[in-house]
Amino acid sequence: MTSQETFDMPTDHALAMPAHVEHAHLVVQDLPAVSAWYQKIMGLSPIEASKSGETLGVNGHPLLTLTTEGNAARAPRNAPGLFHNAFLVPSREELGRWLAHIAHNNIRLQGASDHLVSEAIYLADPEGNGIEVYRDRPRSEWTFKPDGTVGMDTLPLDLQALYDEAPKDNWGGMADGTAIGHIHLQVSDIPQADAFFRDVLGLGLMARYPGASFFGAGKYHHHVAANVWNSRGAPKREGHMTGLSDYTIQYKEPGELTAALAKLDTLEIAVSRNGNGHSLVDPWGIGLKLVA
């Protein structure tokens, strides 16, 4: 039984949409240390282990795979790849509970923002991979514009109030229903990202910031974001780099996946069948698996 089966998922939840991010895979240099950190600080539990890595998740539902390669070089800051993995918790109370946990463990934060559609806290793992932990506001509180995009902003988040409201009981890990709500990528060109995620993969363009686009299925604020803040014009990601190796997008309807595969074929982007999914490398050298 997965966390999504035990968690009473709202119909407008990120994972209830026509497509969503299912899983991410990071290459790390110090596997034991990074895995221990994700277990202690992020509250993920081991699900599966192999010689080269392990998969962690919540209540048996895999969210993050960590592997190591002997020749993996630390990815440059401007390389295409991960900006952050975003872990979506079920409620504001759970966000506060996790905040109290990391405060008691003296974890340094990189920021905290009210995005109108969500409240988010930012940090990085021991090897610099970005992380967001967030809760969504109810969709009834979102503001949609006439062009179909959603109103988002980056305002200060009152961490003290969030901490003060949180239960201070013993934190036992991420709550049931925690998921990867979205993934935020570094790419080298925004028009190219619009063409790939909107026109090829079929995600809606939900918001724009200077140097960034946000793409979502089912009017969700974003399942994938892409920015050029550090990586504008950067060459393709090389193999044997630390950081994001690949991630998975799950489609609810096989027809949506079929349409995306046809467009990939038109663009002559090579796709290989891999178990129940289809694997490719995107225009920036980031691995992507599409499943339905």
Side-chain angles (χ1 to χ4, degrees):
M1 183 178 288
T2 71
S3 59
Q4 278 65 40
E5 289 167 337
T6 59
F7 169 58
D8 187 15
M9 186 189 297
T11 56
D12 59 2
H13 190 275
L15 270 60
M17 297 300 98
H20 65 85
V21 175
E22 182 77 10
H23 181 263
H25 169 201
L26 301 178
V27 174
V28 300
Q29 290 182 319
D30 189 338
L31 178 64
V34 175
S35 177
W37 188 91
Y38 274 98
Q39 291 178 57
K40 179 181 179 183
I41 302 306
M42 297 302 298
L44 303 183
S45 301
I47 293 175
E48 189 177 351
S50 67
K51 283 186 178 179
S52 61
E54 46 190 62
T55 297
L56 309 173
V58 174
N59 195 28
H61 184 76
L63 301 180
L64 184 68
T65 293
L66 303 171
T67 60
T68 191
E69 299 175 6
N71 59 348
R74 187 66 71 96
R77 185 168 178 266
N78 71 334
L82 186 71
F83 191 67
H84 58 241
N85 280 316
F87 294 89
L88 172 61
V89 297
S91 64
R92 190 170 199 269
E93 180 180 293
E94 289 299 340
L95 185 63
R97 196 189 297 268
W98 174 79
L99 174 63
H101 160 69
I102 61 166
H104 299 159
N105 281 275
N106 298 313
I107 297 300
R108 183 183 174 199
L109 298 180
Q110 294 181 332
S113 298
D114 181 341
H115 293 304
L116 303 182
V117 295
S118 63
E119 294 179 310
I121 299 171
Y122 298 93
L123 68 162
D125 74 16
E127 295 195 0
N129 296 296
I131 296 169
E132 173 183 339
V133 181
Y134 76 110
R135 72 99 181 181
D136 277 330
R137 284 199 167 91
R139 200 173 291 205
S140 60
E141 298 178 16
W142 300 6
T143 301
F144 288 93
K145 301 176 183 179
D147 64 359
T149 61
V150 65
M152 293 173 63
D153 206 337
T154 300
L155 306 172
L157 177 62
D158 187 343
L159 284 176
Q160 189 62 54
L162 186 63
Y163 176 87
D164 290 344
E165 292 170 23
K168 305 303 188 294
D169 51 5
N170 290 327
W171 188 76
M174 281 296 189
D176 235 13
T178 298
I180 294 186
H182 66 266
I183 193 166
H184 193 145
L185 306 174
Q186 295 194 159
V187 300
S188 50
D189 183 77
I190 290 300
Q192 188 180 32
D194 292 349
F196 184 74
F197 292 108
R198 179 189 59 197
D199 304 337
V200 176
L201 298 188
L203 302 178
L205 180 61
M206 295 307 299
R208 284 193 191 277
Y209 280 16
S213 289
F214 297 79
F215 309 93
K219 291 292 184 181
Y220 187 65
H221 56 75
H222 65 296
H223 290 99
V224 178
N227 77 62
V228 294
W229 299 328
N230 300 317
S231 52
R232 185 186 301 274
K236 269 181 128 174
R237 181 179 181 82
E238 296 175 11
H240 306 297
M241 273 185 179
T242 60
L244 184 65
S245 171
D246 58 84
Y247 65 102
T248 300
I249 292 178
Q250 168 97 39
Y251 291 89
K252 284 244 182 328
E253 295 294 334
E256 297 287 327
L257 172 58
T258 301
L261 292 172
K263 290 175 181 174
L264 289 164
D265 187 51
T266 300
L267 294 176
E268 298 183 345
I269 294 177
V271 178
S272 61
R273 187 69 188 252
N274 182 3
N276 68 334
H278 301 263
S279 297
L280 62 134
V281 177
D282 74 13
W284 309 281
I286 304 166
L288 174 58
K289 187 176 180 181
L290 305 176
V291 298

